[in-house]
Amino acid sequence: MSIWRVILSIICPPLAVLDKGCGSILITFLLWLCGWVPGVIAALVILNNPKR
């Protein structure tokens, strides 16, 4: 995970997971709408998952 992805996930989490698939984008976007912190946490978890 690059530093640019971390910065992008803090600023706008759905943009950070664009290449991870539609489901990841949707989940991150919905959590981001519920609150900024859940969206950031979801983006960081998705980006740290080595299997995807």
Side-chain angles (χ1 to χ4, degrees):
M1 179 169 46
S2 69
I3 189 71
W4 299 112
R5 287 270 177 125
V6 172
I7 293 169
L8 189 58
S9 68
I10 292 171
I11 295 170
C12 185
L15 291 178
V17 295
L18 274 178
D19 65 340
K20 300 297 183 180
C22 184
S24 298
I25 296 169
L26 184 63
I27 290 170
T28 307
F29 184 73
L30 290 175
L31 286 171
W32 188 47
L33 286 178
C34 292
W36 178 73
V37 174
V40 170
I41 292 171
L44 291 173
V45 167
I46 291 170
L47 290 176
N48 274 330
N49 190 357
K51 296 180 183 178
R52 293 193 95 188

